Amino acid sequence: MLAGPSNPTAFDTYWQTIQSEHATLTHLKKHLDGTVGSLLQSAERGCGLCDLIAKQLRRLSELASASAYHIFIWGRIPATCEFKVALGDINRFTEHISKWQQPESLVFFRRNGASVTSEDLEKPGLLRNGSWPSLPVLADQNPGSRDAFHRAQGWLADCTKRHKECIRLQSKLPKRVLDLGESEELSNIALYITTGEIAPYATLSYSWGKSPRLLTERKTLTQHCRGISLDEFPKTLRDAIRIAKALGFRYLWIDSLCIIQGDDLDWAEQGAAMTDIYGLSTLNVSASSSRNSNEGILMSLPDHGIKIGYSRHHDADSGWEAIFVGHPNETLDLEENHISSRGWVFQERLVSTATLHYTNEGMVWECASGISLEHDQSLSSVRWKADWKAVMDRKSPTPKTPSNVRQTEVTANDPYENWNDWVCAYSQRNLSDVKDKFPAIAGVAKTFASVFGLTYAAGLWEENIVSGLLWRRYSRTRTLTRFKEYVAPSWSWASVHGRLEYRNVNIIESKKGLNLKVSSVNIDEEHPETFGRVRGGKIVAEGLLQAVVVDRSIHPYVRKKSYQECGIAEGFVNRMNVLCMLDEYVESAPPHYPCWCLRVGSYDSYGREGDLFLLLERAKAYGNEFRRIGFAETDPWENVISPSANSGSFVSGQLARVVLI
């Protein structure tokens, strides 16, 4: 057989179909002589196809004592097919059919940028088919190839010329940009201090890493304006320059070079303008899988799949294409890329009209009109850019102060819900300095406030302050982490790190108890009206308050996930299930935890009412100041016997004036 992963044994040459009377074994096959030993030896010698099968066999505990194996294939080549491998003779193989789990999938595909030479076609043992139907496409292994740049150019042209949702306004260049010059050789790159010119430009999103080696500081400003050699740029920045130039841009904005590092005044000025800088750029290039400024962007992609042959494309003039076989790609989630763990990058992706993502699975184009991939792969996508574009174009409905409306009347494109979605996505991202929690999203908040005439309150909006309190730990997140140093008041989502979710429901008036009434909100910003760091924040409100005991050893729905959800042992009327989610889960904490429960209000769920609460602890031994520690709600589909209009679901709740800090 052929050795080496690039020249594996072909399906048609070395796979023997075994005749069987069993109706479901019409595609039963064996490879080589059908013995496990031969297969494992072939895999060790470098046959990629044998290695593919051997990896699956190694999952079976009986492998050590088995001598034979068989393969069962569903589907037709070259359509997507699935296969199962089992040990033993045919009789035992037949018995295993009823015990199988989901089969493994194999996909036949072609790859962008995979050229075929006349020598390739002469190699023995490979499939050569005159014309196969269109095959799924895998990404070009070389994202810096001419073909790859041509695909990116096509996306950019379509977006700028044809997408009505992606219309860019002519805008001035940022205060400083990198001028890449007119030469294709990139021999004259310099930092340029602009004078109000109107011109298209690109921006870069990337992860600096621990020790970036090229920064603009006061002492290097003049030198950088004279010129910077291409070799001086770390690889990620150098690749970004190549990409920008290949896509036709003369100007590129990179934060480490276009903001004077170590200059607080310049940083404050340019940091506040970040939303405009990215929002008015023609394109944002994202080094999505690069972990630092030295890794680069145009890295060769992993060699997925095994070459098994060649075929002519349905367009005869295009010649031969290589055929590969391998496992299908998993769903691509841009939020799982390294860069999505960085806090500052969130607003860069959100506000830019278009982002060209370079991932370790291929290029992805994301704009306000949608998403395009260079390869065939399912994608977990979000509509952030479209929602932001609607906000900027003032197409979103004006937020309304919550009133007595039912959940079914919530607008699908409610800007408050957009904001909640954004902060939930932002909340789990990392920051080098946790005190940048507000500054890193300040531009988005400032724009949102300006468009809708709202008052910002430490990550919430005064006009929607009660609903803004309804964040909670994401159900699959083990715990949130409260910052050791002060970042935000406890009632703000910004006071914790970790994945959140919002209860996007309308608060309604109910006979089950009084709703929380906020009388004042006071925020102490370090620099007023900057939407940045805060020194303190208080909400003064009046609502039903009840001393309760949270029992971490019980769960109202018996899901056996006590670290996620727990119940109430004391404080609520009999037989009431209360779902509690503590913000922080502490392993060593006792199962019974005394605290306070503050009623927020009721919401409608298809004609049934549920109640929402904040779990609190006193800030001091006595007094009316409280800190938030969690969230709770009742099951709207549970029948509660005679709730009191005065105390609601509580045993003896009292109307109290509370100060949330």
Side-chain angles (χ1 to χ4, degrees):
M1 69 182 303
L2 299 174
S6 60
N7 290 318
T9 303
F11 271 55
D12 60 343
T13 307
Y14 292 96
W15 290 61
Q16 178 184 348
T17 300
I18 300 174
Q19 300 300 320
S20 171
E21 297 179 357
H22 196 285
T24 62
L25 292 181
T26 55
H27 293 83
L28 186 65
K29 294 179 181 289
K30 71 176 182 179
H31 190 42
L32 300 173
D33 59 3
T35 65
V36 173
S38 296
L39 179 78
L40 296 180
Q41 289 177 10
S42 179
E44 290 175 359
R45 289 197 299 267
C47 176
L49 196 55
C50 290
D51 187 57
L52 197 70
I53 303 168
K55 285 179 179 177
Q56 195 173 11
L57 284 176
R58 289 190 180 100
R59 302 175 186 174
L60 305 177
S61 59
E62 316 100 291
L63 179 61
S65 59
S67 60
Y69 74 95
H70 290 85
I71 303 165
F72 185 64
I73 297 180
W74 285 260
R76 294 185 305 168
I77 300 173
T80 300
C81 70
E82 296 176 332
F83 78 107
K84 245 337 185 186
V85 183
L87 297 167
D89 57 25
I90 293 179
N91 292 330
R92 185 182 178 195
F93 188 83
T94 305
E95 294 173 1
H96 282 185
I97 292 178
S98 60
K99 302 177 183 178
W100 285 342
Q101 302 296 319
Q102 290 294 322
E104 293 289 319
S105 292
L106 281 180
V107 176
F108 291 81
F109 54 85
R110 59 187 178 89
R111 174 184 288 136
N112 287 330
S115 59
V116 178
T117 66
S118 57
E119 290 79 11
D120 291 329
L121 295 174
E122 294 174 359
K123 292 176 180 177
L126 292 176
L127 294 173
R128 280 180 296 279
N129 193 307
S131 179
W132 273 14
S134 296
L135 297 175
V137 181
L138 209 63
D140 196 329
Q141 281 188 281
N142 179 11
S145 69
R146 180 182 299 179
D147 287 344
F149 282 144
H150 182 71
R151 278 186 287 277
Q153 290 166 357
W155 287 332
L156 178 61
D158 281 344
C159 184
T160 55
K161 296 176 182 179
R162 297 181 178 86
H163 293 174
K164 294 180 181 179
E165 299 87 348
C166 301
I167 295 174
R168 285 106 166 140
L169 300 176
Q170 287 189 333
S171 60
K172 296 179 181 180
L173 291 172
K175 184 176 182 178
R176 304 180 195 92
V177 291
L178 284 178
D179 185 351
L180 309 184
E182 299 179 349
S183 170
E184 293 295 329
E185 288 75 30
L186 295 169
S187 58
N188 188 27
I189 304 172
L191 185 64
Y192 176 56
I193 301 175
T194 62
T195 57
E197 299 95 329
I198 295 177
Y201 65 94
T203 52
L204 174 65
S205 290
Y206 71 109
S207 181
W208 283 28
K210 293 183 178 180
S211 55
R213 61 183 176 87
L214 184 64
L215 304 172
T216 294
E217 301 171 296
R218 278 293 171 192
K219 62 183 180 181
T220 59
L221 177 60
T222 302
Q223 177 185 341
H224 287 176
C225 289
R226 291 196 187 108
I228 309 172
S229 167
L230 184 62
D231 293 336
E232 292 184 57
F233 289 90
K235 194 172 188 313
T236 300
L237 276 60
R238 196 184 318 148
D239 285 350
I241 290 170
R242 285 187 58 199
I243 294 167
K245 193 66 175 178
L247 297 182
F249 291 98
R250 176 171 178 173
Y251 301 108
L252 174 64
W253 191 91
I254 301 176
D255 55 2
S256 59
L257 294 168
C258 298
I259 300 176
I260 301 175
Q261 306 303 315
D263 187 317
D264 292 343
L265 183 61
D266 192 66
W267 178 258
E269 178 189 79
Q270 294 302 297
M274 203 84 76
T275 301
D276 287 337
I277 291 171
Y278 280 89
L280 296 174
S281 68
T282 302
L283 174 67
N284 180 43
V285 176
S286 176
S288 299
S289 296
S290 301
R291 293 185 172 275
N292 55 59
S293 59
N294 296 313
E295 276 195 3
I297 303 175
L298 303 176
M299 299 175 287
S300 295
L301 302 185
D303 187 6
H304 295 304
I306 303 160
K307 187 186 294 185
I308 63 162
Y310 307 95
S311 73
R312 282 193 179 278
H313 195 268
H314 57 82
D315 178 2
D317 294 335
S318 63
W320 291 88
E321 291 185 323
I323 307 167
F324 298 84
V325 64
H327 294 299
N329 288 325
E330 296 181 358
T331 298
L332 175 60
D333 186 349
L334 293 174
E335 282 296 283
E336 295 298 322
N337 277 272
H338 171 72
I339 201 169
S340 294
S341 67
R342 309 308 303 163
W344 281 96
V345 173
F346 174 78
Q347 69 175 351
E348 298 169 9
R349 178 183 172 191
L350 173 67
V351 305
S352 54
T353 302
T355 297
L356 177 58
H357 299 269
Y358 281 86
T359 79
N360 54 16
E361 297 186 56
M363 294 187 300
V364 179
W365 178 273
E366 179 188 23
C367 66
S369 296
I371 292 183
S372 298
L373 290 80
E374 65 165 321
H375 54 293
D376 290 284
Q377 185 175 10
S378 57
L379 178 73
S380 176
S381 61
V382 293
R383 284 182 45 85
W384 293 343
K385 288 187 184 297
D387 292 338
W388 177 257
K389 190 69 174 176
V391 168
M392 293 303 293
D393 293 343
R394 291 163 173 76
K395 293 179 181 178
S396 293
T398 302
K400 298 178 180 179
T401 301
S403 57
N404 300 345
V405 293
R406 293 285 170 177
Q407 188 179 13
T408 53
E409 298 176 36
V410 174
T411 306
N413 195 26
D414 179 12
Y416 285 134
E417 288 194 26
N418 290 340
W419 174 262
N420 293 346
D421 290 343
W422 297 338
V423 298
C424 287
Y426 171 69
S427 66
Q428 60 186 328
R429 297 181 177 230
N430 300 318
L431 293 160
S432 299
D433 185 348
V434 297
K435 289 191 174 181
D436 284 341
K437 191 78 169 183
F438 286 133
I441 201 173
V444 175
K446 192 171 186 178
T447 301
F448 200 86
S450 174
V451 168
F452 296 114
L454 302 176
T455 306
Y456 194 56
L460 280 62
W461 304 100
E462 284 194 25
E463 293 78 2
N464 190 48
I465 197 70
V466 174
S467 293
L469 297 171
L470 302 180
W471 55 270
R472 65 182 183 184
R473 175 168 46 85
Y474 180 65
S475 60
R476 295 182 183 178
T477 298
R478 182 175 181 84
T479 185
L480 299 174
T481 304
R482 288 205 178 273
F483 300 115
K484 294 181 180 179
E485 51 189 319
Y486 189 86
V487 173
S490 67
W491 45 263
S492 170
W493 52 265
S495 64
V496 295
H497 175 74
R499 188 173 179 182
L500 307 173
E501 61 185 2
Y502 253 96
R503 294 292 281 118
N504 287 319
V505 296
N506 280 320
I507 303 298
I508 61 173
E509 298 293 342
S510 170
K511 297 179 179 179
K512 296 170 69 176
L514 299 173
N515 290 348
L516 186 68
K517 304 296 182 184
V518 173
S519 56
S520 66
V521 180
N522 181 267
I523 306 298
D524 181 14
E525 285 188 295
E526 286 189 10
H527 303 286
E529 300 181 4
T530 62
F531 295 76
R533 297 180 179 183
V534 303
R535 289 186 290 249
K538 294 182 178 181
I539 292 178
V540 180
E542 188 177 68
L544 289 175
L545 189 67
Q546 171 71 53
V548 298
V549 175
V550 172
D551 189 344
R552 301 198 316 160
S553 66
I554 64 173
H555 188 286
Y557 303 115
V558 200
R559 295 177 187 166
K560 298 182 180 179
K561 295 180 180 178
S562 59
Y563 69 84
Q564 289 187 1
E565 299 147 345
C566 50
I568 294 287
E570 299 176 21
F572 277 75
V573 295
N574 292 335
R575 296 190 300 278
M576 170 164 283
N577 284 340
V578 184
L579 174 67
C580 298
M581 299 186 74
L582 296 172
D583 295 337
E584 282 193 292
Y585 175 75
V586 182
E587 292 278 1
S588 58
H592 292 86
Y593 187 79
C595 59
W596 297 84
C597 197
L598 177 66
R599 175 182 163 83
V600 177
S602 298
Y603 70 97
D604 173 73
S605 177
Y606 302 98
R608 307 292 291 266
E609 292 182 1
D611 297 330
L612 304 167
F613 309 89
L614 296 182
L615 297 175
L616 309 173
E617 64 179 8
R618 286 193 188 274
K620 300 177 182 179
Y622 301 96
N624 65 345
E625 289 191 347
F626 293 85
R627 293 189 181 93
R628 172 189 161 128
I629 60 169
F631 181 86
E633 65 178 285
T634 60
D635 184 352
W637 294 91
E638 181 184 72
N639 291 319
V640 180
I641 301 174
S642 302
S644 167
N646 294 323
S647 59
S649 306
F650 296 146
V651 172
S652 59
Q654 299 294 317
L655 190 63
R657 180 180 181 274
V658 297
V659 178
L660 305 179
I661 63 172

